[in-house]
Amino acid sequence: MSKMKLRLVMFIAVGIVCIASAPAFAAFYTIGGTDVMMDGYIRQEFSYNYNNESTINMDGLQSAYSILYADVAAEFGRHVEVRGIVRLWADMAYSLNDGDSHWDTYFRGARHELQFLDEFDDIVRELYVTYTAAKFQFRVGRQQIGWGESDGLRLMDVINPLDLRRGPFYDTQGYSEVRIPKWLVKAEYYPDSFGDINNIALQLIWNPGDIQEQQHLQLPLFVDAHLAPDARVMPNTAGPWAVETAVGHDLPFAFTYDRKTDALRNSEFGARLSFGWGDTYLTLNFWHGIAHESLFDFSYIGPHPLGRTIPVAFDAAGNPIAFENMAVHADLVYPRVTYAGVTANREVAFFSQLLGIATNPVFRFEALYSFDQNMNSNKVIVDLNTGMPSDVFEIIETDQIRYMVGFDWPIRVKWLNPKKNIFVSGQFFHFYTVDMPTPDQFGNETDIVPDSSPYHSWTFDRNQTYGSLLLRTEYMNERLVPSVLFVQDMGTGAHWAVTEIGYKIGDHWRPSLRWLYVDGAYQESFGVYRKRDEVTLRIQYQF
Amino acid sequence: MKRRLTRGRLAAWLAIAVGILCMVSASAHAWETKDAQLAADWEKMLGFKAPDVVGKVAPEIKPGMVIDGSNYKQYPGLKELLPKSLYDRLDPTAYAPLAPLKIAKTDQYHLSRGYLTKSLENIKKCRLAADGLTLEGYQGGLPFINPKNGNELVQMAGYPYLGDSFAMRPMRLRLYNAKNKPERELRQHLNFLRYKGVTDWREGDITPNPQDIIYVVSGTFIYPRDLSGTSYVRTRYVGANQPDSFLLYIPSMRRIRRMSGRDTQDPLFGSDLVWDDYNVYWQKLSTKDFPCEYRIVKQTEMLLPTFTDYNWPMDRTQAGYTDYRVDESGDQVYLHFGSWQRRPVTVLEIKSIDSAYLYSRRIITFDSETFLTLHTDLYDNGDRLWRSWVRDYNLSQEGTGVMEDLIDIVDVANTHRTILDFKGHMNPRWMDPQYADVRFLSRKAK
């Protein structure tokens, strides 16, 4: 270990010890008549990758996150609350792996972006004011709003995009740590109950133009490719949970960016009506916003504006012998999206009575209809340079239906845990694309990937299906908390599982050990995170 | 020299004054009514007052005595005056031994005027339905002034005096390990709002109430960090066979989830508190879901902790109850109730008919003067003692309002302990349905 690395590790360790040895903050106290609640944590975690997939993984230390998180809420009287959440996040892996040729080749490029998150949006996670009256509530400020019922894959949770720069497997049960907050105005109205209808809340949301995009490692492409029929994505990359990188492109890109603009014309609007109806709790949702993912609006293949060249001919040894000035010219566009959805959950006694189980399952359902969704699809054109068919992107419009059926059921399995229930949560997802693209002018939809094309054929079926199963229980008066989350992409056969054991030491220390296993016949659905088999040790001090 | 003497005298006077103040504040342990007429009416309703009916069992144990691990065997009558689970804890080698018992005189307790009025009305109006469990004609107060059988007595646990509202700020769950040393702590802000059967400060029941809600309990965990923000609303309905509704806000998901209203048998976040044990007995009285048999075992007298009386914003210490405390300073933890006194009690046995239920039986000790529950023993399916509770109450001497104070829960089978330690508002008038439905979760959502 070099001196530099040693210093860094020592710095982290000493920092944790110093902070932990300081008197613990009070969680709740009163200052001048104002109730103030403050808590947070300091987290250090190390992920060790043990899969030797050379181009996408770092064999060994993959990440070393250091996080400071503080959450402060102050209540002024019974009506007004101000809340702020700040987070500092650093990845020491960039320093600890400094000088490693493999790391430098594949991961150094993201160093400026991920070693220290120092942008305002990264640090001030949330900041809002809430005013509450008997029948109304207003919340204004930077915030995240979680709609929907699903875990592991998001359906109606459409308001905030995700920060996926660290992959799709981080905080998959909650998303709270990876949602990107937006500046929003949220208003809620609570009518009286009537008849069997109770707990009624009408929520209206307005985003005055703070358009946030999904954050990816390097190029923000096609994380929503799984939503697109017959989508073409980069070689060996991208999928339902995965993200794109710049690795392996055949052609450089020349983008005329149509980036997000924080303008009033980019306002987003949402409404949700939630209510209980007998034993069922329902929500009706509507969202008219802007896509979190950019689409690739192809223009033409032609000379690169900066004169970049690519090899177009090679000798027998594979060395390039001829170069051509060429690039894909395209725009990144952020189309409008319109979703309407429904969620429902209901406790059902029938199964527990049938099986003699003490608790009832709660069934969950969530469905979303996406109107005229813009998607990338392939299109074959005649390459102006070669006269050959060339596979490029086009944008199509189609409706899509997505739904989830699931259940939560705490079950007592005495031989496994005589003192606590085992929480079992299962989900089945189905995405159905209403209008699949028609065959191209050449009469086929098969993959045409000429050398000059940057595209690779990886398509999605009209029907996509996914499943998940979560098991969690607690031992030793909840000091030891094991859990397993298994997620299956039924279309590709790929799957991933997170096994975690958490341990509670007193009020403050929360160490955990986590094992992520990614496998399956066609792991490309996990993109650059395929084979991201890793073990993570997390040490967290909470206050 | 003269000046030194003056200072010395001053110091002596100050010491005396402080001593007197301490003694005066310590004497606040006696629970003495501030409404003599209400006390007299309460006695008239019951036909007795507690001080008049105790003293028959082990009369050698008198106020002023202190009983601890070193001398308890000198008083054989203690075995009759204490539930066995408590008597065994006088042994210093037992798990979670009892702190010394300071014996005080017996007080007369009473509940509120409104509660008394409705209790009297129940004599004519309230009765058990044909299923033997559902209450008919109940409008608040004691369902039965003189319960004749177990089914009537258990209604006191199903409809206990809780005031019209209370707000725990906070409820602390202090967890102790197998060595009876501190393990960790949880804190929540808990709200209670009665919809039906109001007796204290509301003019009438809360309307509209189309769901026929009896009361709602809501809460937000504020400590530790990994629980902070977790909020819930639990609604109890009149219908005997309608399970509670349980909505939970999970901060890590930023979502409200419906939980199984029947999931009431798991301990709460690693503590020894089970949903069904809340307030000693919170199991939904039902003829279908985990039905039980109820039997009055005996009416007798027992030594149990003396009640306190203090209200928000004061805590126990500020109100002078300095010897009601949790002492974590020694080799192990002691819970000190300021004093113990003889109480007339009625003992109820509840036997589970369904073997899938976590307890085979419960023994619940009711204070016969207030029908508040003071002690319980909980037995596992092998009929072994599993958990044992003992507690005092924070009961208003003016007659309106109640708050939990200290509850000692010992898991005998697994040598684990939870002490519930409270501070809060009795009958806060600001409590309204905003704390009892989805609005509460929306407000707490963070």
Side-chain angles (χ1 to χ4, degrees), chain B residues 419-434:
Chain B
I419 293 177
L420 307 182
D421 186 351
F422 303 85
K423 175 186 176 184
H425 304 231
M426 294 179 191
N427 271 330
R429 289 172 184 257
W430 46 259
M431 186 79 70
D432 60 27
Q434 289 183 65

PDB file of all heavy atoms in Angstrom, chain B residues 419-434:
ATOM      1  N   ILE B 419     -38.120  -1.037  29.138  1.00  0.00           N
ATOM      2  CA  ILE B 419     -38.799  -0.103  30.027  1.00  0.00           C
ATOM      3  C   ILE B 419     -39.404   1.005  29.164  1.00  0.00           C
ATOM      4  O   ILE B 419     -38.700   1.642  28.377  1.00  0.00           O
ATOM      5  CB  ILE B 419     -37.830   0.487  31.072  1.00  0.00           C
ATOM      6  CG1 ILE B 419     -37.369  -0.631  32.025  1.00  0.00           C
ATOM      7  CG2 ILE B 419     -38.504   1.619  31.847  1.00  0.00           C
ATOM      8  CD1 ILE B 419     -36.347  -0.191  33.051  1.00  0.00           C
ATOM      9  N   LEU B 420     -40.695   1.176  29.287  1.00  0.00           N
ATOM     10  CA  LEU B 420     -41.371   2.259  28.573  1.00  0.00           C
ATOM     11  C   LEU B 420     -41.423   3.458  29.505  1.00  0.00           C
ATOM     12  O   LEU B 420     -41.870   3.353  30.650  1.00  0.00           O
ATOM     13  CB  LEU B 420     -42.779   1.830  28.160  1.00  0.00           C
ATOM     14  CG  LEU B 420     -42.890   0.514  27.385  1.00  0.00           C
ATOM     15  CD1 LEU B 420     -44.341   0.237  27.001  1.00  0.00           C
ATOM     16  CD2 LEU B 420     -42.015   0.540  26.142  1.00  0.00           C
ATOM     17  N   ASP B 421     -40.974   4.564  29.015  1.00  0.00           N
ATOM     18  CA  ASP B 421     -40.759   5.745  29.848  1.00  0.00           C
ATOM     19  C   ASP B 421     -41.419   6.925  29.116  1.00  0.00           C
ATOM     20  O   ASP B 421     -41.055   7.228  27.989  1.00  0.00           O
ATOM     21  CB  ASP B 421     -39.241   5.945  29.987  1.00  0.00           C
ATOM     22  CG  ASP B 421     -38.889   7.045  30.953  1.00  0.00           C
ATOM     23  OD1 ASP B 421     -39.791   7.782  31.391  1.00  0.00           O
ATOM     24  OD2 ASP B 421     -37.697   7.184  31.264  1.00  0.00           O
ATOM     25  N   PHE B 422     -42.373   7.573  29.783  1.00  0.00           N
ATOM     26  CA  PHE B 422     -43.242   8.517  29.070  1.00  0.00           C
ATOM     27  C   PHE B 422     -43.154   9.930  29.636  1.00  0.00           C
ATOM     28  O   PHE B 422     -42.870  10.146  30.808  1.00  0.00           O
ATOM     29  CB  PHE B 422     -44.705   8.078  29.163  1.00  0.00           C
ATOM     30  CG  PHE B 422     -44.973   6.706  28.641  1.00  0.00           C
ATOM     31  CD1 PHE B 422     -44.798   5.590  29.443  1.00  0.00           C
ATOM     32  CD2 PHE B 422     -45.398   6.521  27.339  1.00  0.00           C
ATOM     33  CE1 PHE B 422     -45.051   4.320  28.957  1.00  0.00           C
ATOM     34  CE2 PHE B 422     -45.654   5.255  26.849  1.00  0.00           C
ATOM     35  CZ  PHE B 422     -45.478   4.147  27.657  1.00  0.00           C
ATOM     36  N   LYS B 423     -43.472  10.840  28.752  1.00  0.00           N
ATOM     37  CA  LYS B 423     -43.767  12.213  29.129  1.00  0.00           C
ATOM     38  C   LYS B 423     -44.808  12.678  28.115  1.00  0.00           C
ATOM     39  O   LYS B 423     -44.739  12.279  26.951  1.00  0.00           O
ATOM     40  CB  LYS B 423     -42.515  13.080  29.030  1.00  0.00           C
ATOM     41  CG  LYS B 423     -42.751  14.562  29.283  1.00  0.00           C
ATOM     42  CD  LYS B 423     -41.484  15.371  29.026  1.00  0.00           C
ATOM     43  CE  LYS B 423     -41.773  16.854  29.200  1.00  0.00           C
ATOM     44  NZ  LYS B 423     -40.597  17.691  28.869  1.00  0.00           N
ATOM     45  N   GLY B 424     -45.751  13.499  28.555  1.00  0.00           N
ATOM     46  CA  GLY B 424     -46.723  13.910  27.551  1.00  0.00           C
ATOM     47  C   GLY B 424     -47.850  14.777  28.053  1.00  0.00           C
ATOM     48  O   GLY B 424     -47.859  15.212  29.209  1.00  0.00           O
ATOM     49  N   HIS B 425     -48.769  15.035  27.141  1.00  0.00           N
ATOM     50  CA  HIS B 425     -49.943  15.859  27.437  1.00  0.00           C
ATOM     51  C   HIS B 425     -51.117  14.939  27.771  1.00  0.00           C
ATOM     52  O   HIS B 425     -51.404  14.011  27.030  1.00  0.00           O
ATOM     53  CB  HIS B 425     -50.407  16.660  26.223  1.00  0.00           C
ATOM     54  CG  HIS B 425     -49.395  17.537  25.603  1.00  0.00           C
ATOM     55  ND1 HIS B 425     -49.640  18.859  25.333  1.00  0.00           N
ATOM     56  CD2 HIS B 425     -48.150  17.317  25.163  1.00  0.00           C
ATOM     57  CE1 HIS B 425     -48.587  19.396  24.752  1.00  0.00           C
ATOM     58  NE2 HIS B 425     -47.669  18.481  24.633  1.00  0.00           N
ATOM     59  N   MET B 426     -51.802  15.243  28.841  1.00  0.00           N
ATOM     60  CA  MET B 426     -53.088  14.590  29.088  1.00  0.00           C
ATOM     61  C   MET B 426     -54.174  15.436  28.411  1.00  0.00           C
ATOM     62  O   MET B 426     -54.205  16.648  28.583  1.00  0.00           O
ATOM     63  CB  MET B 426     -53.407  14.575  30.580  1.00  0.00           C
ATOM     64  CG  MET B 426     -52.506  13.747  31.441  1.00  0.00           C
ATOM     65  SD  MET B 426     -53.084  13.916  33.148  1.00  0.00           S
ATOM     66  CE  MET B 426     -51.734  13.176  34.045  1.00  0.00           C
ATOM     67  N   ASN B 427     -55.030  14.794  27.684  1.00  0.00           N
ATOM     68  CA  ASN B 427     -56.180  15.461  27.094  1.00  0.00           C
ATOM     69  C   ASN B 427     -55.858  16.758  26.352  1.00  0.00           C
ATOM     70  O   ASN B 427     -56.510  17.781  26.559  1.00  0.00           O
ATOM     71  CB  ASN B 427     -57.219  15.780  28.184  1.00  0.00           C
ATOM     72  CG  ASN B 427     -58.202  14.635  28.377  1.00  0.00           C
ATOM     73  OD1 ASN B 427     -58.480  13.898  27.425  1.00  0.00           O
ATOM     74  ND2 ASN B 427     -58.716  14.486  29.576  1.00  0.00           N
ATOM     75  N   PRO B 428     -54.867  16.760  25.483  1.00  0.00           N
ATOM     76  CA  PRO B 428     -54.596  18.011  24.752  1.00  0.00           C
ATOM     77  C   PRO B 428     -55.787  18.374  23.862  1.00  0.00           C
ATOM     78  O   PRO B 428     -56.282  17.533  23.100  1.00  0.00           O
ATOM     79  CB  PRO B 428     -53.366  17.663  23.919  1.00  0.00           C
ATOM     80  CG  PRO B 428     -53.402  16.185  23.774  1.00  0.00           C
ATOM     81  CD  PRO B 428     -54.009  15.659  25.035  1.00  0.00           C
ATOM     82  N   ARG B 429     -56.222  19.620  23.977  1.00  0.00           N
ATOM     83  CA  ARG B 429     -57.409  20.033  23.220  1.00  0.00           C
ATOM     84  C   ARG B 429     -57.089  20.349  21.765  1.00  0.00           C
ATOM     85  O   ARG B 429     -58.008  20.549  20.965  1.00  0.00           O
ATOM     86  CB  ARG B 429     -58.058  21.238  23.917  1.00  0.00           C
ATOM     87  CG  ARG B 429     -58.714  20.838  25.223  1.00  0.00           C
ATOM     88  CD  ARG B 429     -59.185  22.027  26.038  1.00  0.00           C
ATOM     89  NE  ARG B 429     -59.728  21.570  27.314  1.00  0.00           N
ATOM     90  CZ  ARG B 429     -61.030  21.485  27.583  1.00  0.00           C
ATOM     91  NH1 ARG B 429     -61.909  21.846  26.685  1.00  0.00           N
ATOM     92  NH2 ARG B 429     -61.441  21.048  28.757  1.00  0.00           N
ATOM     93  N   TRP B 430     -55.818  20.447  21.453  1.00  0.00           N
ATOM     94  CA  TRP B 430     -55.464  20.683  20.049  1.00  0.00           C
ATOM     95  C   TRP B 430     -55.515  19.405  19.217  1.00  0.00           C
ATOM     96  O   TRP B 430     -55.413  19.456  17.994  1.00  0.00           O
ATOM     97  CB  TRP B 430     -54.091  21.323  19.937  1.00  0.00           C
ATOM     98  CG  TRP B 430     -53.003  20.701  20.773  1.00  0.00           C
ATOM     99  CD1 TRP B 430     -52.526  21.158  21.965  1.00  0.00           C
ATOM    100  CD2 TRP B 430     -52.264  19.498  20.488  1.00  0.00           C
ATOM    101  NE1 TRP B 430     -51.542  20.329  22.441  1.00  0.00           N
ATOM    102  CE2 TRP B 430     -51.354  19.297  21.548  1.00  0.00           C
ATOM    103  CE3 TRP B 430     -52.277  18.577  19.447  1.00  0.00           C
ATOM    104  CZ2 TRP B 430     -50.473  18.213  21.598  1.00  0.00           C
ATOM    105  CZ3 TRP B 430     -51.402  17.506  19.495  1.00  0.00           C
ATOM    106  CH2 TRP B 430     -50.515  17.328  20.561  1.00  0.00           C
ATOM    107  N   MET B 431     -55.676  18.296  19.895  1.00  0.00           N
ATOM    108  CA  MET B 431     -55.701  17.029  19.139  1.00  0.00           C
ATOM    109  C   MET B 431     -57.011  16.928  18.363  1.00  0.00           C
ATOM    110  O   MET B 431     -58.090  17.074  18.937  1.00  0.00           O
ATOM    111  CB  MET B 431     -55.592  15.870  20.114  1.00  0.00           C
ATOM    112  CG  MET B 431     -55.450  14.517  19.440  1.00  0.00           C
ATOM    113  SD  MET B 431     -53.790  14.179  18.863  1.00  0.00           S
ATOM    114  CE  MET B 431     -52.945  13.952  20.424  1.00  0.00           C
ATOM    115  N   ASP B 432     -56.894  16.708  17.074  1.00  0.00           N
ATOM    116  CA  ASP B 432     -58.090  16.606  16.246  1.00  0.00           C
ATOM    117  C   ASP B 432     -57.867  15.556  15.171  1.00  0.00           C
ATOM    118  O   ASP B 432     -56.790  14.941  15.123  1.00  0.00           O
ATOM    119  CB  ASP B 432     -58.440  17.978  15.651  1.00  0.00           C
ATOM    120  CG  ASP B 432     -57.324  18.524  14.786  1.00  0.00           C
ATOM    121  OD1 ASP B 432     -56.555  17.719  14.232  1.00  0.00           O
ATOM    122  OD2 ASP B 432     -57.212  19.746  14.656  1.00  0.00           O
ATOM    123  N   PRO B 433     -58.831  15.327  14.316  1.00  0.00           N
ATOM    124  CA  PRO B 433     -58.681  14.251  13.322  1.00  0.00           C
ATOM    125  C   PRO B 433     -57.492  14.425  12.368  1.00  0.00           C
ATOM    126  O   PRO B 433     -57.148  13.485  11.652  1.00  0.00           O
ATOM    127  CB  PRO B 433     -60.017  14.274  12.581  1.00  0.00           C
ATOM    128  CG  PRO B 433     -60.995  14.746  13.597  1.00  0.00           C
ATOM    129  CD  PRO B 433     -60.246  15.791  14.381  1.00  0.00           C
ATOM    130  N   GLN B 434     -56.887  15.603  12.341  1.00  0.00           N
ATOM    131  CA  GLN B 434     -55.672  15.733  11.533  1.00  0.00           C
ATOM    132  C   GLN B 434     -54.586  14.767  11.987  1.00  0.00           C
ATOM    133  O   GLN B 434     -53.671  14.451  11.232  1.00  0.00           O
ATOM    134  CB  GLN B 434     -55.109  17.142  11.663  1.00  0.00           C
ATOM    135  CG  GLN B 434     -55.922  18.215  10.990  1.00  0.00           C
ATOM    136  CD  GLN B 434     -55.236  19.554  11.118  1.00  0.00           C
ATOM    137  OE1 GLN B 434     -54.162  19.759  10.589  1.00  0.00           O
ATOM    138  NE2 GLN B 434     -55.842  20.468  11.851  1.00  0.00           N
TER     139      GLN B 434
END
